[in-house]
Amino acid sequence: MIFGRSERGKPPVEPVTLKILVAGGFGVGKTTFVGAVSEIRPLRTEELLTEAGRPVDDTRGVESKRTTTVAMDFGRITLREDLVLYLFGTPGQERFWFMWDELSEGALGAVVLVDTRRLEDCFAAVDYFERRSIPFLVGVNCFEGAARYPEEAVRQALDLDEDVPVVLCDARDKQSVKDVLVGVVQHAMAYSARHRQSVTT
Ligand SMILES: Nc1nc2c(ncn2[C@@H]2O[C@H](COP(=O)(O)OP(=O)(O)OP(=O)(O)O)[C@@H](O)[C@H]2O)c(=O)[nH]1
Ligand SMILES: [Mg+2]
């Protein structure tokens, strides 16, 4: 006997998969961020920071940092039964920036992580997404010992458009990272809807 779909129970849900980039300056917590939420063992491409790199690799504030991402981080999180995010963490050091174009191919949106002690390190990432019209959200990774600034102060310092969300987060905390990801998906969806509207009208 052949059973119809309804008799076999609910049809399997084919989830929508979206690609999100996690970008920002050197040592701002991108690898930590992806690792905090990934439900698969995150793929990492870490290399030891070496003596030779000391003059260019500025570890002020993250002195305990021993490794750096040389290609990318990769992780996956199921936000809802029908919505899966693939996370791609970018390398932070400028000498690996040639990877960014490759990684941003097909991305729905991006999180730019910032450390308020070294705000200028994220200028390049903000410029990168603005220029390519890739919707992004700014996540302020709150390190201990770093002064807390209101979102508005960060927005002004980075000269962000007013529709760019700024949220405070802790890259080590799963729920906090999840909240940031929900925020970037919502922002990117709204951004694409507005963009489509302006194309068709
Ligand atoms: N206190 C504190 N430390 C953090 C936080 N996020 C990351 N760290 C630490 O900061 C250091 C840098 O974190 P990573 O996740 O490697 O930073 P990254 O942005 O991937 O660095 P690159 O790939 O080298 O650019 C690590 O030693 C982390 O343990 C945070 O929210 N609070
Ligand atoms: Mg990293």
Side-chain angles (χ1 to χ4, degrees), residues 91-194:
Q93 291 167 287
E94 283 172 28
R95 59 182 181 277
F96 297 122
W97 271 43
F98 61 90
M99 287 293 301
W100 282 48
D101 289 335
E102 202 79 42
L103 289 175
S104 60
E105 192 78 22
L108 173 82
V111 175
V112 175
L113 279 181
V114 308
D115 175 351
T116 52
R117 298 167 301 179
R118 303 186 293 172
L119 212 51
E120 63 283 2
D121 286 11
C122 77
F123 289 172
V126 168
D127 278 351
Y128 183 92
F129 296 118
E130 278 179 349
R131 267 197 216 134
R132 287 164 183 78
S133 300
I134 296 175
F136 67 97
L137 166 155
V138 169
V140 181
N141 191 16
C142 301
F143 285 83
E144 290 105 35
R148 298 290 158 99
Y149 297 97
E151 288 152 29
E152 208 37 53
V154 175
R155 176 186 305 287
Q156 274 183 17
L158 294 180
D159 195 19
L160 298 173
D161 283 348
E162 54 187 69
D163 73 309
V164 176
V166 176
V167 294
L168 305 182
C169 67
D170 183 335
R172 300 161 301 175
D173 182 82
K174 188 174 181 176
Q175 191 55 48
S176 172
V177 171
K178 232 174 166 173
D179 292 343
V180 172
L181 292 172
V182 169
V184 73
V185 170
Q186 283 173 342
H187 172 59
M189 296 286 195
Y191 180 95
S192 331
R194 272 201 309 277

